[in-house]
Structure formats: C-alpha cells, structure tokens
Amino acid sequence: MIEVRDLKKEFLEEDTSTRALRGVSFSIQKGEFVSIMGPSGSGKSTLLSILSFLDRPTNGLYTFQGKSMDDMDDRELARVRNEDMGFVFQAFNLLSRLSVYDNVEIPLLYSKVPPADRPAFIEQAIASVGLPEKLHTETGRLSGGQKQRVAIARALVTDPKIVFADEPTGNLDSKSGEQVLEILASLNDKGRTVILVTHETNIAEYASRIIRLTDGMIESDVPVNRPWHARSASIK
C-alpha cells in the first residue's frame, strides 16, 4: 500500500536549513498496523504529514497504492485524502455544538455518497465505536474518551483504506485511551490498515510493527512479537 524510498525533507527559514527527514525508507502492506514513534524532533510528525498528503518531500519517492506522489497534483492529492484516508487527531477536532451524527456526517459532505445513503453510513460508523445511544447528543456533552470515539467514527464514515491516528490517546485518561486503542486494534483485525503515531512505547506496542525514528532517520523497524490483549478485548 505504501512504499517510501530515501525520503528527505528540509525546511528553510531565512538562511537556515533544518533537515527533518534524512533518507527514510520502508514499505507498509495492506492490512498492517504500524506504529511510528520517536521523541519530539525525531521527524515523526513530518513523516505523517507526507504520508497523509499534507506535505511533499524535498527528495525521495513516496508511492501510495502503486502511484507516485510526484505524479499527483494538489487536486488529486485532496481527492485521495478524502476518499482513501481517515484521520484521528489528539485534539479530536470536533464541532462541540453539533450532534455526534452531524460531526460524523462532515466528511460525507465532500464525498460522492448520495444524501439519501448518508444516514446508513453515519449510523454504522457510530455503532462501530460503541456509541449508538449518543447519535443525537451534542458533542460538547461527551467525555474525552467518547469524543475520540466519535472522531474515529468520523474517520471511518467514508470507508477509507487507511486510518492515520496521530497521538490519539494524548488527551485521555488511561482507561479511555485503552478503549480507543482497542477500537483501532479491532479495525485492524477486520482488515483496515492503521498507522499510529506516538512517542510512548506502551501505546506503540498495540501495533504489530514499530518504526522508531531518531533525528530524522530510522533507528529500528521491528515486529511486536507478543500478542496483546487489545486483539481479543471487547469494546466497552
């Protein structure tokens, strides 16, 4: 699904050049659950921005589903982001005065899904994260963990091929964070490709593979060898 070869990214500010990525190479297969982790300044946020089509590399090759990013213009990148990618952020990025239903519907407003078909998509996405009873609840009334589950439902409503989760438990208590990670693991068990970005080892280990970045380079790329309870845990 993803192939990255010798990816480099430099940021220029006045006369100063900062190398955020220094030649990163890896592949991610369809259906994998991969964590990208590293300390602040390691390049993981820059890498996520490129993988999710929010930025372009300075040098190197990025191929998504067999097509090079270099061959796509900005319109094509936006289309792929909307149709094939789902996003979960640390800050939720929900509209607090809108209902759960209305928040989850937002990506569909920019999709090809006919209005008459949208309710079924929305209700299915909300049920998949265990919140069917909150369908018409104002999002601002929810707990942090519930808000993040709504954010996951919003990411899933367009049936994306890959979900990017950027520090999804950063604003949550440990119990709520575990529930969110269990949902992501459950999605992966059903065949969804998941890329999780974090700086915490215990969070990264919910994935089946960990790519560690240091100073813009890959320090290690290893499988997680032991089965985690998230694989069989029920979502509460």
Side-chain angles (χ1 to χ4, degrees):
M1 175 172 276
I2 285 176
E3 184 174 5
V4 168
R5 290 292 174 262
D6 198 27
L7 209 66
K8 298 176 182 177
K9 181 66 179 181
E10 294 186 17
F11 294 99
L12 296 175
E13 294 184 8
E14 297 181 353
D15 296 329
T16 303
S17 175
T18 302
R19 292 189 293 172
L21 296 175
R22 303 167 181 253
V24 173
S25 299
F26 59 86
S27 298
I28 295 176
Q29 304 299 318
K30 180 181 178 181
E32 278 198 272
F33 187 171
V34 179
S35 286
I36 298 174
M37 70 170 301
S40 177
S42 62
K44 63 183 186 297
S45 295
T46 300
L47 179 57
L48 177 66
S49 293
I50 294 172
L51 294 180
S52 60
F53 288 178
L54 287 172
D55 200 0
R56 291 181 182 267
T58 305
N59 298 105
L61 175 71
Y62 172 27
T63 302
F64 181 74
Q65 297 192 121
K67 188 169 183 178
S68 172
M69 189 182 196
D70 292 338
D71 295 333
M72 302 186 211
D73 59 20
D74 289 345
R75 183 183 295 273
E76 176 70 0
L77 293 179
R79 184 194 65 77
V80 174
R81 286 189 82 247
N82 187 56
E83 295 181 2
D84 295 338
M85 299 177 176
F87 301 88
V88 182
F89 305 96
Q90 179 177 344
F92 315 139
N93 292 347
L94 300 172
L95 299 176
S96 61
R97 293 188 177 182
L98 293 185
S99 69
V100 169
Y101 183 100
D102 290 338
N103 269 280
V104 174
E105 183 183 25
I106 290 173
L108 294 178
L109 302 178
Y110 304 94
S111 74
K112 298 178 181 178
V113 177
D117 295 338
R118 290 174 189 168
F121 280 74
I122 296 165
E123 291 171 14
Q124 180 179 354
I126 294 171
S128 73
V129 298
L131 292 175
E133 76 284 359
K134 301 294 184 181
L135 194 68
H136 300 294
T137 301
E138 191 175 277
T139 310
R141 295 176 171 271
L142 302 179
S143 68
Q146 290 172 332
K147 288 177 181 177
Q148 194 60 294
R149 288 155 74 177
V150 173
I152 293 174
R154 181 185 57 191
L156 296 176
V157 74
T158 58
D159 193 25
K161 295 179 175 64
I162 186 168
V163 173
F164 294 98
D166 186 10
E167 301 280 5
T169 64
N171 287 333
L172 305 178
D173 59 50
S174 58
K175 182 178 179 181
S176 297
E178 185 175 327
Q179 290 175 335
V180 165
L181 291 168
E182 288 170 355
I183 291 173
L184 293 175
S186 176
L187 292 174
N188 178 248
D189 286 341
K190 296 172 183 176
R192 189 91 55 176
T193 306
V194 179
I195 296 181
L196 169 66
V197 174
T198 183
H199 64 279
E200 299 182 58
T201 299
N202 64 315
I203 302 299
E205 288 176 337
Y206 268 78
S208 55
R209 173 184 169 198
I210 300 175
I211 299 173
R212 296 178 188 269
L213 295 180
T214 301
D215 296 330
M217 297 180 289
I218 293 181
E219 176 184 314
S220 62
D221 182 351
V222 297
V224 177
N225 293 319
R226 50 183 172 163
W228 280 88
H229 63 86
R231 294 297 176 183
S232 59
S234 60
I235 299 170
K236 301 176 182 178

